[in-house]
Amino acid sequence: EPEVTQTPSHQVTQMGQEVILRCVPISNHLYFYWYRQILGQKVEFLVSFYNNEISEKSEIFDDQFSVERPDGSNFTLKIRSTKLEDSAMYFCASSGQGSLRSNQPQHFGDGTRLSIL
Amino acid sequence: KQEVTQIPAALSVPEGENLVLNCSFTDSAIYNLQWFRQDPGKGLTSLLLIQSSQREQTSGRLNASLDKSSGRSTLYIAASQPGDSATYLCAVEGGNKLTFGTGTQLKVEL
């Protein structure tokens, strides 16, 4: 069964550095998402992406964050000037094969655990 | 702003028992509701999706119901097994995002 893959599985970075988290969504999906889960807390929405542009973003997704689909297969989340509070599990998801997006499940990757020191 | 609540927060049952997990949401303007399973340190596995026009969905030993007008969903697990031990998350889709509950941590004991 097709799956969403994320790399790396664990990223350790010094505070203030930039990180790029990578995702390969399911190949025929058209909608892409990033979520994060701080340890012990809810999964939180960050951003959704469709047709090469952001379709919705949360309050968390400020100027520190950006997303990109640099080619036909990858979807990346860049975090600039990382802070201690950015430490979390970051999940990529994809869904939708057409106009029936709202009736199709989002499929999640296994996540990247980001640790900011 | 959509708020999703799940009760109980944790549940421990003996193997073979049938059980019900509850989810409630504050804004009934949703496209669909998904139930996920999360194992420790792992990603989210989609279990069931109920469209807003549907009342229930079934997959194997799992049955999920949706009462959109009252803002409630239940996940029924029949004949629970130790392998069902995990955290179960409810999420509602509105706009272009999922809003998650805090989850129910289930332990099924031998």
Side-chain angles (χ1 to χ4, degrees), chain A residues 33 35 37 42-43 45 48 55-56 89 91 101-106 108-110 113, chain B residues 4 31-32 34 36 38 41-44 46 49 51 93 95-98 100-102:
Chain A
Y33 313 85
Y35 294 83
Q37 186 176 33
K42 289 185 180 185
V43 176
F45 168 77
S48 57
S55 50
E56 188 163 350
M89 182 75 92
F91 293 109
R101 177 198 63 82
S102 63
N103 293 327
Q104 297 181 27
Q106 292 187 23
F108 282 70
D110 282 343
R113 181 169 299 282
Chain B
V4 181
Y31 292 131
N32 60 56
Q34 271 187 266
F36 292 89
Q38 184 175 30
K42 297 289 188 179
L44 308 176
S46 179
L49 179 145
Q51 298 174 25
E93 181 165 4
N96 295 302
K97 65 183 181 186
L98 290 174
F100 284 83
T102 46

Short mmCIF file of all heavy atoms in Angstrom, two decimals, chain A residues 33 35 37 42-43 45 48 55-56 89 91 101-106 108-110 113, chain B residues 4 31-32 34 36 38 41-44 46 49 51 93 95-98 100-102:
data_model
loop_
_atom_site.label_atom_id
_atom_site.label_comp_id
_atom_site.label_asym_id
_atom_site.label_seq_id
_atom_site.Cartn_x
_atom_site.Cartn_y
_atom_site.Cartn_z
N TYR A 33 0.03 18.43 3.76
CA TYR A 33 -0.15 19.07 5.06
C TYR A 33 1.09 18.85 5.91
O TYR A 33 1.79 17.85 5.78
CB TYR A 33 -1.34 18.46 5.80
CG TYR A 33 -2.60 18.31 4.98
CD1 TYR A 33 -2.79 17.19 4.17
CD2 TYR A 33 -3.61 19.27 5.02
CE1 TYR A 33 -3.94 17.04 3.42
CE2 TYR A 33 -4.77 19.12 4.28
CZ TYR A 33 -4.92 18.01 3.47
OH TYR A 33 -6.08 17.85 2.73
N TYR A 35 1.74 18.89 10.21
CA TYR A 35 1.21 18.97 11.57
C TYR A 35 2.39 18.80 12.52
O TYR A 35 3.44 18.28 12.15
CB TYR A 35 0.20 17.86 11.85
CG TYR A 35 -1.07 17.94 11.05
CD1 TYR A 35 -1.14 17.43 9.75
CD2 TYR A 35 -2.23 18.48 11.59
CE1 TYR A 35 -2.31 17.49 9.01
CE2 TYR A 35 -3.42 18.54 10.86
CZ TYR A 35 -3.44 18.05 9.57
OH TYR A 35 -4.61 18.10 8.85
N GLN A 37 3.33 17.71 16.84
CA GLN A 37 2.85 17.23 18.14
C GLN A 37 3.96 17.43 19.15
O GLN A 37 4.96 16.70 19.14
CB GLN A 37 2.43 15.77 18.05
CG GLN A 37 1.78 15.24 19.33
CD GLN A 37 1.29 13.81 19.18
OE1 GLN A 37 1.88 13.01 18.46
NE2 GLN A 37 0.21 13.47 19.87
N LYS A 42 -1.68 17.71 22.03
CA LYS A 42 -2.45 17.36 20.85
C LYS A 42 -1.63 17.50 19.56
O LYS A 42 -0.69 18.29 19.51
CB LYS A 42 -3.65 18.31 20.70
CG LYS A 42 -4.76 18.16 21.69
CD LYS A 42 -5.90 19.10 21.30
CE LYS A 42 -7.05 19.01 22.27
NZ LYS A 42 -8.21 19.81 21.84
N VAL A 43 -2.05 16.79 18.54
CA VAL A 43 -1.54 17.03 17.20
C VAL A 43 -2.13 18.36 16.72
O VAL A 43 -3.34 18.57 16.79
CB VAL A 43 -1.95 15.89 16.24
CG1 VAL A 43 -1.49 16.19 14.82
CG2 VAL A 43 -1.38 14.56 16.72
N PHE A 45 -2.40 21.41 13.68
CA PHE A 45 -2.27 21.75 12.26
C PHE A 45 -1.29 22.91 12.09
O PHE A 45 -1.32 23.89 12.85
CB PHE A 45 -3.64 22.14 11.72
CG PHE A 45 -3.62 22.79 10.36
CD1 PHE A 45 -3.44 22.03 9.22
CD2 PHE A 45 -3.80 24.15 10.24
CE1 PHE A 45 -3.43 22.62 7.97
CE2 PHE A 45 -3.80 24.77 9.00
CZ PHE A 45 -3.62 24.00 7.86
N SER A 48 -1.60 23.76 5.13
CA SER A 48 -2.04 22.90 4.03
C SER A 48 -1.61 23.54 2.72
O SER A 48 -1.47 24.78 2.62
CB SER A 48 -3.55 22.67 4.06
OG SER A 48 -4.24 23.91 4.02
N SER A 55 -2.89 26.82 1.14
CA SER A 55 -4.34 27.01 1.13
C SER A 55 -4.87 27.44 2.51
O SER A 55 -5.88 28.11 2.60
CB SER A 55 -5.07 25.76 0.64
OG SER A 55 -4.62 24.62 1.31
N GLU A 56 -4.17 27.02 3.55
CA GLU A 56 -4.54 27.48 4.90
C GLU A 56 -3.33 27.32 5.81
O GLU A 56 -2.52 26.42 5.61
CB GLU A 56 -5.73 26.67 5.45
CG GLU A 56 -6.27 27.20 6.75
CD GLU A 56 -7.66 26.68 7.09
OE1 GLU A 56 -8.30 26.05 6.22
OE2 GLU A 56 -8.10 26.91 8.23
N MET A 89 7.37 16.46 17.41
CA MET A 89 7.28 15.53 16.30
C MET A 89 6.53 16.24 15.19
O MET A 89 5.45 16.78 15.43
CB MET A 89 6.55 14.26 16.72
CG MET A 89 6.44 13.21 15.65
SD MET A 89 7.98 12.34 15.38
CE MET A 89 7.74 10.97 16.50
N PHE A 91 4.69 15.90 11.57
CA PHE A 91 4.07 14.93 10.69
C PHE A 91 3.70 15.58 9.36
O PHE A 91 3.12 16.67 9.33
CB PHE A 91 2.79 14.35 11.30
CG PHE A 91 3.01 13.52 12.53
CD1 PHE A 91 2.63 13.99 13.77
CD2 PHE A 91 3.57 12.25 12.43
CE1 PHE A 91 2.82 13.20 14.91
CE2 PHE A 91 3.75 11.46 13.55
CZ PHE A 91 3.39 11.94 14.80
N ARG A 101 -11.77 15.72 -2.44
CA ARG A 101 -10.79 15.76 -1.36
C ARG A 101 -11.43 15.62 0.00
O ARG A 101 -10.93 14.92 0.87
CB ARG A 101 -10.01 17.07 -1.41
CG ARG A 101 -9.02 17.23 -0.26
CD ARG A 101 -8.59 18.67 -0.09
NE ARG A 101 -9.72 19.51 0.26
CZ ARG A 101 -10.18 19.62 1.51
NH1 ARG A 101 -9.64 18.94 2.48
NH2 ARG A 101 -11.21 20.40 1.77
N SER A 102 -12.55 16.28 0.20
CA SER A 102 -13.12 16.32 1.54
C SER A 102 -13.65 14.96 1.97
O SER A 102 -13.95 14.78 3.13
CB SER A 102 -14.24 17.35 1.60
OG SER A 102 -15.28 16.98 0.73
N ASN A 103 -13.77 14.02 1.07
CA ASN A 103 -14.27 12.71 1.44
C ASN A 103 -13.17 11.66 1.44
O ASN A 103 -13.45 10.47 1.42
CB ASN A 103 -15.37 12.29 0.47
CG ASN A 103 -16.60 13.18 0.62
OD1 ASN A 103 -16.89 13.63 1.71
ND2 ASN A 103 -17.28 13.43 -0.48
N GLN A 104 -11.95 12.12 1.44
CA GLN A 104 -10.85 11.18 1.43
C GLN A 104 -9.95 11.39 2.63
O GLN A 104 -9.71 12.52 3.04
CB GLN A 104 -10.06 11.34 0.13
CG GLN A 104 -10.91 11.02 -1.09
CD GLN A 104 -10.14 11.16 -2.37
OE1 GLN A 104 -8.94 11.02 -2.40
NE2 GLN A 104 -10.85 11.44 -3.45
N PRO A 105 -9.49 10.30 3.21
CA PRO A 105 -8.70 10.42 4.44
C PRO A 105 -7.33 11.04 4.20
O PRO A 105 -6.77 10.93 3.11
CB PRO A 105 -8.56 8.96 4.90
CG PRO A 105 -8.68 8.15 3.67
CD PRO A 105 -9.65 8.89 2.79
N GLN A 106 -6.82 11.69 5.22
CA GLN A 106 -5.44 12.14 5.19
C GLN A 106 -4.56 10.98 5.66
O GLN A 106 -4.85 10.35 6.68
CB GLN A 106 -5.25 13.37 6.08
CG GLN A 106 -5.97 14.59 5.54
CD GLN A 106 -5.66 15.85 6.32
OE1 GLN A 106 -4.62 15.96 6.98
NE2 GLN A 106 -6.55 16.83 6.22
N PHE A 108 -0.84 9.82 6.95
CA PHE A 108 0.27 10.44 7.66
C PHE A 108 1.55 9.61 7.52
O PHE A 108 1.50 8.38 7.47
CB PHE A 108 -0.07 10.57 9.14
CG PHE A 108 -0.98 11.73 9.45
CD1 PHE A 108 -2.30 11.71 9.05
CD2 PHE A 108 -0.49 12.84 10.14
CE1 PHE A 108 -3.15 12.78 9.34
CE2 PHE A 108 -1.33 13.90 10.43
CZ PHE A 108 -2.65 13.88 10.03
N GLY A 109 2.68 10.33 7.53
CA GLY A 109 3.96 9.66 7.65
C GLY A 109 4.27 9.34 9.10
O GLY A 109 3.50 9.67 10.00
N ASP A 110 5.41 8.70 9.33
CA ASP A 110 5.81 8.32 10.68
C ASP A 110 6.40 9.47 11.49
O ASP A 110 6.67 9.31 12.68
CB ASP A 110 6.82 7.17 10.63
CG ASP A 110 6.15 5.83 10.37
OD1 ASP A 110 4.92 5.74 10.54
OD2 ASP A 110 6.86 4.87 9.97
N ARG A 113 11.18 13.48 14.43
CA ARG A 113 11.32 14.03 15.78
C ARG A 113 12.41 15.09 15.74
O ARG A 113 13.57 14.80 15.47
CB ARG A 113 11.69 12.93 16.77
CG ARG A 113 11.81 13.46 18.21
CD ARG A 113 11.91 12.34 19.23
NE ARG A 113 10.74 11.48 19.22
CZ ARG A 113 9.57 11.79 19.77
NH1 ARG A 113 9.41 12.96 20.36
NH2 ARG A 113 8.57 10.93 19.72
N VAL B 4 -12.08 19.85 20.00
CA VAL B 4 -12.40 18.42 19.99
C VAL B 4 -11.96 17.82 21.32
O VAL B 4 -10.82 18.03 21.76
CB VAL B 4 -11.68 17.71 18.82
CG1 VAL B 4 -12.03 16.22 18.81
CG2 VAL B 4 -12.05 18.35 17.50
N TYR B 31 -16.53 18.59 7.30
CA TYR B 31 -16.64 17.78 6.09
C TYR B 31 -16.71 16.30 6.42
O TYR B 31 -17.43 15.53 5.82
CB TYR B 31 -15.43 18.02 5.19
CG TYR B 31 -15.35 19.39 4.57
CD1 TYR B 31 -14.18 20.12 4.61
CD2 TYR B 31 -16.44 19.93 3.90
CE1 TYR B 31 -14.10 21.38 4.03
CE2 TYR B 31 -16.37 21.19 3.32
CZ TYR B 31 -15.19 21.90 3.39
OH TYR B 31 -15.10 23.13 2.82
N ASN B 32 -15.85 15.91 7.38
CA ASN B 32 -15.81 14.51 7.77
C ASN B 32 -15.13 14.38 9.12
O ASN B 32 -14.62 15.38 9.68
CB ASN B 32 -15.09 13.65 6.71
CG ASN B 32 -13.66 14.09 6.47
OD1 ASN B 32 -12.86 14.15 7.41
ND2 ASN B 32 -13.32 14.39 5.23
N GLN B 34 -12.40 11.67 11.17
CA GLN B 34 -11.51 10.51 11.04
C GLN B 34 -11.11 10.01 12.42
O GLN B 34 -10.85 10.82 13.33
CB GLN B 34 -10.22 10.89 10.30
CG GLN B 34 -10.28 10.74 8.81
CD GLN B 34 -8.92 10.97 8.14
OE1 GLN B 34 -8.60 12.05 7.70
NE2 GLN B 34 -8.14 9.90 8.06
N PHE B 36 -8.06 7.81 14.18
CA PHE B 36 -6.70 7.36 13.95
C PHE B 36 -6.24 6.53 15.13
O PHE B 36 -6.72 6.67 16.26
CB PHE B 36 -5.73 8.55 13.84
CG PHE B 36 -5.91 9.40 12.63
CD1 PHE B 36 -6.79 10.48 12.65
CD2 PHE B 36 -5.19 9.16 11.48
CE1 PHE B 36 -6.94 11.29 11.54
CE2 PHE B 36 -5.33 9.97 10.36
CZ PHE B 36 -6.21 11.03 10.39
N GLN B 38 -2.53 5.74 17.11
CA GLN B 38 -1.13 6.15 17.22
C GLN B 38 -0.44 5.23 18.21
O GLN B 38 -0.81 5.18 19.38
CB GLN B 38 -1.02 7.62 17.67
CG GLN B 38 0.42 8.11 17.70
CD GLN B 38 0.54 9.58 18.03
OE1 GLN B 38 -0.28 10.15 18.74
NE2 GLN B 38 1.58 10.23 17.50
N GLY B 41 5.62 6.70 19.79
CA GLY B 41 6.73 7.13 18.94
C GLY B 41 6.50 6.94 17.46
O GLY B 41 7.44 7.07 16.67
N LYS B 42 5.27 6.65 17.09
CA LYS B 42 4.97 6.36 15.68
C LYS B 42 4.03 7.41 15.10
O LYS B 42 3.55 8.31 15.78
CB LYS B 42 4.32 4.98 15.56
CG LYS B 42 5.20 3.84 16.01
CD LYS B 42 6.33 3.59 15.05
CE LYS B 42 7.10 2.34 15.39
NZ LYS B 42 8.19 2.09 14.44
N GLY B 43 3.78 7.24 13.80
CA GLY B 43 2.84 8.12 13.13
C GLY B 43 1.40 7.75 13.39
O GLY B 43 1.10 6.94 14.26
N LEU B 44 0.52 8.35 12.62
CA LEU B 44 -0.91 8.15 12.77
C LEU B 44 -1.41 7.22 11.67
O LEU B 44 -1.14 7.45 10.49
CB LEU B 44 -1.64 9.49 12.66
CG LEU B 44 -1.13 10.60 13.57
CD1 LEU B 44 -1.87 11.90 13.31
CD2 LEU B 44 -1.25 10.21 15.02
N SER B 46 -4.70 5.86 9.83
CA SER B 46 -6.11 6.13 9.65
C SER B 46 -6.91 4.84 9.78
O SER B 46 -6.59 3.83 9.14
CB SER B 46 -6.36 6.75 8.27
OG SER B 46 -7.73 7.01 8.08
N LEU B 49 -12.98 6.78 8.24
CA LEU B 49 -13.43 8.13 7.90
C LEU B 49 -14.93 8.10 7.72
O LEU B 49 -15.44 7.24 6.99
CB LEU B 49 -12.74 8.64 6.64
CG LEU B 49 -13.15 10.04 6.15
CD1 LEU B 49 -11.95 10.77 5.54
CD2 LEU B 49 -14.29 10.00 5.16
N GLN B 51 -17.97 10.45 6.45
CA GLN B 51 -18.35 11.71 5.80
C GLN B 51 -19.47 12.37 6.60
O GLN B 51 -20.22 11.70 7.32
CB GLN B 51 -18.83 11.41 4.38
CG GLN B 51 -17.78 10.79 3.50
CD GLN B 51 -18.32 10.38 2.15
OE1 GLN B 51 -19.32 10.93 1.67
NE2 GLN B 51 -17.69 9.41 1.52
N GLU B 93 -12.50 17.32 10.13
CA GLU B 93 -11.99 18.12 9.03
C GLU B 93 -12.96 19.25 8.71
O GLU B 93 -14.14 19.03 8.46
CB GLU B 93 -11.76 17.28 7.77
CG GLU B 93 -11.21 18.14 6.62
CD GLU B 93 -10.64 17.33 5.48
OE1 GLU B 93 -10.72 16.09 5.52
OE2 GLU B 93 -10.11 17.96 4.55
N GLY B 95 -12.63 23.15 6.51
CA GLY B 95 -11.67 23.91 5.73
C GLY B 95 -10.64 22.98 5.14
O GLY B 95 -10.96 21.94 4.60
N ASN B 96 -9.39 23.32 5.28
CA ASN B 96 -8.30 22.50 4.73
C ASN B 96 -7.42 21.94 5.83
O ASN B 96 -6.21 21.86 5.69
CB ASN B 96 -7.45 23.36 3.80
CG ASN B 96 -8.21 23.81 2.59
OD1 ASN B 96 -8.72 22.99 1.84
ND2 ASN B 96 -8.33 25.11 2.40
N LYS B 97 -8.03 21.53 6.94
CA LYS B 97 -7.22 21.04 8.05
C LYS B 97 -8.02 20.09 8.92
O LYS B 97 -9.25 20.09 8.91
CB LYS B 97 -6.75 22.21 8.90
CG LYS B 97 -7.89 22.95 9.58
CD LYS B 97 -7.38 24.15 10.34
CE LYS B 97 -8.53 24.86 11.05
NZ LYS B 97 -8.10 26.12 11.68
N LEU B 98 -7.27 19.27 9.67
CA LEU B 98 -7.84 18.43 10.70
C LEU B 98 -7.61 19.08 12.06
O LEU B 98 -6.52 19.60 12.31
CB LEU B 98 -7.18 17.05 10.70
CG LEU B 98 -7.48 16.13 9.51
CD1 LEU B 98 -6.63 14.86 9.60
CD2 LEU B 98 -8.95 15.77 9.47
N PHE B 100 -7.60 17.93 15.96
CA PHE B 100 -7.51 16.69 16.72
C PHE B 100 -7.95 16.85 18.16
O PHE B 100 -7.83 17.92 18.77
CB PHE B 100 -6.04 16.21 16.74
CG PHE B 100 -5.58 15.58 15.46
CD1 PHE B 100 -5.14 16.35 14.41
CD2 PHE B 100 -5.59 14.20 15.32
CE1 PHE B 100 -4.73 15.76 13.22
CE2 PHE B 100 -5.17 13.60 14.15
CZ PHE B 100 -4.74 14.38 13.10
N GLY B 101 -8.44 15.73 18.71
CA GLY B 101 -8.64 15.63 20.14
C GLY B 101 -7.35 15.20 20.82
O GLY B 101 -6.34 14.92 20.15
N THR B 102 -7.39 15.11 22.14
CA THR B 102 -6.21 14.74 22.90
C THR B 102 -5.99 13.23 22.94
O THR B 102 -4.94 12.77 23.35
CB THR B 102 -6.28 15.26 24.35
OG1 THR B 102 -7.57 14.97 24.86
CG2 THR B 102 -6.02 16.75 24.40
#
